Amino acid sequence: MTGCCAHESKSLATVEAGGNDQALRAVTGEIRHDWSKKEIAEIYHSPLLELVFAAATVHRQHHDPRSVQQCTLLSVKTGGCSEDCSYCPQSARYDTGVQAEKLLDPETVYMAAKLAKESGSTRFCMGAAWREVKDNEQFDSVLSMVEKVKSLDMEVCVTLGMVNLEQAKKLKDAGVTAYNHNLDTGEEYYSKIISTRDYHDRLNTLKNVREAGITVCCGGIVGMGESDSDRIDLLHTLATMEEHPESVPVNALVAVEGTPLEDRPQVQISEMLRMIASARITMPRSVVRLSAGRMQMSMAEQALCFMAGANSIFAGDKLLTTANPEFNADKEMFASLGLKAKTLEQSGCC
Ligand code: SF4
């Protein structure tokens, strides 16, 4: 940062062109839970490369910048979901070509997790297209999947929709490390994307998960037609939680044909960078996951995301139902960028 600009005569045009870097000068990398929306907005709107530089600096205070965690996500119950999330090809309400499938059996899941571990993943995430967990045989089967994956000494993450406290405790006892439950966007915009549940349902599940002693994986999606202010609202909700989510996935919308968001334009890399860098600055210790949308990004663009503070990716050729770079492509990217896959010892939570 040059620190040489006088901003007394700052015009609206300057703000629109990327704000000023004053907010970044106050960034120390300290863990805070009292961020105001105004502070986050100023950070988010800072000149882009200064924002990335500040985030990279904070990143280096709390993480090994060369270390990137590889997670593998497997859909254990695909399609046929009763919810109406506008971005999701698995909703039964949209004609996307995704067929409803049965729950996978625990042995199949175990073999997939073993393969993921051999390919360098330290976290295995299992997703079921459910509105909520029900106390039935299917949940028992998921508990047995969790136990099996845990026996591989991997971090185990699940994303199963809403859970109550008792169910969350069962998941914890079976060996779940983290529960993924995204808030997707800011509270105000949420109802434009999903009508079958509300923001408080989401927050309630997060509360149950925390109370059960499971770490929270919670982030959002960029590119659903939300404004910058909605993105800032989401960051504010996450960064002012009593405990920051251990993991914050930042997804670029993958506009799938047949969903209500099928015509949304591709997310610009600058939008992803602002979101990732602002998440890194406001939640310095969290793992920021560069999640959906990597297929549309060049290696150089992904490199900028790592520079902005992303330190995890989803590895494997599928992200639930959409395409994702293959293990080998990521291996080459890591070699080119001088990155190394995070080991279990470094992740320290198994
Ligand atoms: S995002 Fe989850 S809850 Fe929403 S429709 Fe898709 S599978 Fe169902």
Side-chain angles (χ1 to χ4, degrees):
M1 278 178 270
T2 63
C4 63
C5 301
H7 289 292
E8 289 87 340
S9 60
K10 180 184 67 178
S11 66
L12 184 61
T14 316
V15 174
E16 284 169 352
N20 63 55
D21 60 5
Q22 261 165 5
L24 297 178
R25 286 184 221 152
V27 166
T28 62
E30 162 199 13
I31 310 292
R32 290 178 47 195
H33 303 266
D34 61 350
W35 295 98
S36 67
K37 275 191 195 170
K38 184 169 173 281
E39 278 177 297
I40 297 178
E42 284 171 358
I43 289 170
Y44 179 94
H45 287 294
S46 299
L48 186 60
L49 293 182
E50 297 309 311
L51 172 60
V52 170
F53 180 77
T57 307
V58 170
H59 189 55
R60 279 150 183 75
Q61 290 171 18
H62 296 275
H63 304 271
D64 172 357
R66 291 187 55 203
S67 176
V68 173
Q69 185 180 35
Q70 279 179 257
C71 312
T72 296
L73 174 58
L74 176 72
S75 176
V76 299
K77 162 68 188 84
T78 302
C81 182
S82 61
E83 299 291 90
D84 69 350
C85 310
S86 305
Y87 51 82
C88 184
Q90 300 201 68
S91 168
R93 298 162 192 247
Y94 314 134
D95 184 11
T96 61
V98 173
Q99 303 297 327
E101 292 172 14
K102 281 195 189 147
L103 185 69
L104 296 181
D105 66 89
E107 192 54 29
T108 306
V109 173
Y110 172 78
M111 293 312 289
K114 202 160 173 273
L115 194 67
K117 186 178 179 183
E118 283 160 13
S119 304
S121 283
T122 55
R123 179 180 283 223
F124 193 73
C125 184
M126 293 168 270
W130 290 334
R131 170 184 163 77
E132 70 222 317
V133 169
K134 296 199 171 106
D135 296 304
N136 57 19
E137 276 176 17
Q138 298 210 329
F139 183 43
D140 293 342
S141 189
V142 169
L143 293 173
S144 131
M145 289 174 198
V146 170
E147 280 164 10
K148 277 177 166 291
V149 177
K150 189 70 184 175
S151 73
L152 289 167
D153 232 4
M154 297 180 88
E155 293 178 18
V156 187
C157 172
V158 286
T159 178
L160 311 169
M162 294 182 273
V163 280
N164 62 35
L165 180 57
E166 204 181 308
Q167 292 160 340
K169 283 181 178 165
K170 283 186 184 166
L171 288 165
K172 169 73 182 169
D173 290 345
V176 163
T177 315
Y179 197 92
N180 165 263
H181 202 61
N182 290 331
L183 286 171
D184 295 337
T185 187
E187 183 166 4
E188 215 173 286
Y189 196 66
Y190 194 77
S191 62
K192 309 253 180 351
I193 297 298
I194 296 145
S195 75
T196 46
R197 52 172 193 266
D198 66 27
Y199 219 63
H200 284 272
D201 294 327
R202 293 310 261 184
L203 292 170
N204 198 34
T205 286
L206 294 175
K207 184 172 156 281
N208 293 336
V209 164
R210 277 195 206 280
E211 220 171 305
I214 297 174
T215 64
V216 164
C217 170
C218 183
I221 305 175
V222 177
M224 301 187 295
E226 75 287 350
S227 63
D228 285 332
S229 157
D230 296 315
R231 294 174 192 167
I232 290 158
D233 280 354
L234 170 63
L235 287 166
H236 182 254
T237 301
L238 297 172
T240 55
M241 286 178 170
E242 247 171 68
E243 198 182 325
H244 293 157
E246 174 256 343
S247 156
V248 180
V250 180
N251 295 278
L253 176 76
V254 177
V256 177
E257 207 181 320
T259 63
L261 298 183
E262 64 180 357
D263 293 327
R264 292 303 317 164
Q266 194 179 316
V267 172
Q268 299 293 310
I269 189 64
S270 57
E271 300 174 273
M272 287 297 282
L273 290 173
R274 286 194 186 283
M275 205 59 192
I276 290 169
S278 304
R280 170 52 64 226
I281 289 171
T282 54
M283 294 169 276
R285 272 202 206 117
S286 302
V287 173
V288 177
R289 298 189 194 279
L290 174 57
S291 305
R294 285 201 302 124
M295 279 301 275
Q296 286 72 40
M297 286 181 197
S298 66
M299 185 170 79
E301 288 173 335
Q302 292 182 64
L304 276 169
C305 293
F306 296 130
M307 186 57 84
N311 56 349
S312 173
I313 55 167
F314 281 103
D317 60 359
K318 252 194 175 178
L319 255 192
L320 294 176
T321 59
T322 55
N324 194 52
E326 292 185 5
F327 275 117
N328 283 345
D330 284 335
K331 223 174 173 180
E332 281 170 26
M333 175 174 74
F334 275 35
S336 292
L337 300 179
L339 298 174
K340 50 191 187 188
K342 195 174 183 178
T343 60
L344 272 173
E345 291 70 41
Q346 286 173 308
S347 64
C349 59
C350 274

